[in-house]
Amino acid sequence: MRRLSIIIPNYNYGRFVAQAIESALAVDWPDVEVIVVDDGSTDDSREQIAAYADHITVIHQDNAGPRVACNTGFASSTGDAVVFLDSDDLLEPTIARESARVWGHAVSKVQFPMLRIDGEGVPVGTSFPRFGTAPTPDQIRGWMRATGEYPTPPGSGNVYARSFLERLFPLGDRCGGSSDSSCLAAAPYLGDVITLTEPQARYRLHGDNRSYVLTDPARFSLRVERAVQRHQFALEVSGNEADGLAPLFRGRHLLQLRVAGRRLRPDDRPLPGDSAARMLRDALTSPFAPGPDGVAHRVLVSTWSLATLTAPGPVARRLIDRRFRQPVAG
């Protein structure tokens, strides 16, 4: 790992983007390039970004969405390691040195927990995902092949190898408007995912986080639909199409999204072949599916899923609210 490229796509986050830029400029590494792609902001983002123009590369484009902004930033970058930093998130100064410590030629990405902060940047006391011990790349590959999921942070919680990204970029729209889904899904198939257990980034919680599913019940079905898209994308780019959709019925995280979507929008069918009966069966067998989760969590997911599927509507909605008060990645 020689040069680190930090790409910051921004749209109307003028109140946060300066802090994101400052965190990128504070990274302790001898060769860092910072590229900010403003995606047609209509607030004061341009003025905020302009204050750092002597220290960063600034690109302005018409509004086209975060995926296109990431494509633009990646095309302009030169680092052999790349971070896509959401403009409301922050990096820790140690991110480069900690990633370099575990870097290798087979790495697709280095991932790490993200510390949750509030809208003012104050830590709220928790980080995610929670890694008790770092899983091995082979374990992560095995979980992905078996269940279509593995413990991973969202975009800002990953340092990608350029050699991996070059096999995917420029990204098309099949996995949605963000760049996260494609990269996160393909990483275990096309290289080694290395996990650090100490937070190297900060995830800001505020009312308009794109991943806050409770703001719109339709987002549960959208998450499931996106999971299907990114799973199929990862299988295609890795030549594992024969795996089909079967792994998605074994994923515990996806099971909870499926259940919530079913109760809130029963007419949606984002996962082909899914049904209430299938969810009940998957909830019963969920404790025995592969994955990093301990026994207590496996039982909790199974119990919550069964209760939410069978409870009266108002009770089911309360169960969903309690489960999904925190943002959901992916």
Side-chain angles (χ1 to χ4, degrees):
M1 178 174 160
R2 298 178 299 276
R3 167 172 285 191
L4 176 64
S5 296
I6 301 174
I7 299 168
I8 307 176
N10 175 74
Y11 177 69
N12 283 353
Y13 270 172
R15 64 194 186 281
F16 299 131
V17 67
Q19 296 174 52
I21 294 170
E22 289 177 0
S23 78
L25 293 173
V27 168
D28 180 21
W29 190 248
D31 192 356
V32 178
E33 67 174 1
V34 180
I35 300 171
V36 179
V37 182
D38 187 68
D39 189 36
S41 293
T42 58
D43 64 355
D44 66 341
S45 289
R46 288 198 172 200
E47 291 80 5
Q48 296 292 329
I49 295 167
Y52 301 91
D54 292 341
H55 306 287
I56 64 176
T57 298
V58 181
I59 301 172
H60 296 290
Q61 66 178 32
D62 293 337
N63 182 246
R67 174 182 55 81
V68 176
C70 287
N71 283 341
T72 299
F74 182 70
S76 300
S77 68
T78 58
D80 58 311
V82 180
V83 177
F84 295 101
L85 173 62
D86 289 347
S87 56
D88 55 340
D89 292 340
L90 305 172
L91 298 178
E92 299 290 352
T94 54
I95 182 174
R97 295 200 178 277
E98 288 301 302
S99 297
R101 181 174 56 81
V102 296
W103 202 259
H105 73 278
V107 167
S108 56
K109 70 162 182 164
V110 174
Q111 62 176 15
F112 34 80
M114 300 181 69
L115 182 68
R116 290 185 174 97
I117 59 176
D118 64 18
E120 303 304 316
V122 178
V124 297
T126 59
S127 61
F128 75 107
R130 295 181 181 178
F131 298 112
T133 58
T136 68
D138 285 340
Q139 285 178 315
I140 288 176
R141 259 189 296 274
W143 295 332
M144 192 64 177
R145 290 290 300 274
T147 68
E149 60 189 43
Y150 66 100
T152 178
S156 302
N158 304 274
V159 179
Y160 293 103
R162 185 176 201 86
S163 57
F164 161 67
L165 294 177
E166 286 176 337
R167 301 175 69 175
L168 307 181
F169 276 68
L171 294 170
D173 62 358
R174 62 174 302 175
C175 293
S178 70
S179 62
D180 291 9
S181 294
S182 302
C183 299
L184 297 179
Y189 289 98
L190 299 180
D192 288 349
V193 174
I194 307 297
T195 303
L196 302 175
T197 57
E198 292 298 319
Q200 301 298 323
R202 301 191 176 206
Y203 183 91
R204 194 184 301 270
L205 299 168
H206 51 87
D208 54 353
N209 287 81
R210 287 171 54 86
S211 60
Y212 196 61
V213 290
L214 289 177
T215 59
D216 181 358
R219 289 192 178 188
F220 288 102
S221 294
L222 177 62
R223 297 296 180 188
V224 176
E225 179 182 348
R226 187 168 296 170
V228 175
Q229 292 172 336
R230 68 184 178 227
H231 176 73
Q232 292 175 323
F233 172 83
L235 295 185
E236 289 173 14
V237 298
S238 64
N240 289 289
E241 293 95 332
D243 287 3
L245 295 180
L248 299 181
F249 291 97
R250 295 190 288 266
R252 272 181 285 274
H253 179 66
L254 191 60
L255 172 63
Q256 296 168 81
L257 294 173
R258 290 161 56 201
V259 168
R262 178 76 182 187
R263 292 312 310 268
L264 296 176
R265 293 172 63 92
D267 292 334
D268 290 352
R269 296 290 185 273
L271 176 57
D274 210 359
S275 65
R278 181 65 186 262
M279 291 178 201
L280 284 169
R281 188 181 78 180
D282 292 343
L284 288 169
T285 59
S286 176
F288 309 101
D293 311 304
V295 174
H297 181 74
R298 292 168 182 250
V299 172
L300 181 63
V301 169
S302 179
T303 302
W304 179 90
S305 299
L306 291 169
T308 305
L309 281 167
T310 57
V315 176
R317 283 190 288 273
R318 286 197 293 271
L319 289 169
I320 292 167
D321 181 75
R322 289 179 63 84
R323 166 61 185 87
F324 290 102
R325 285 177 181 171
Q326 295 290 355
V328 178

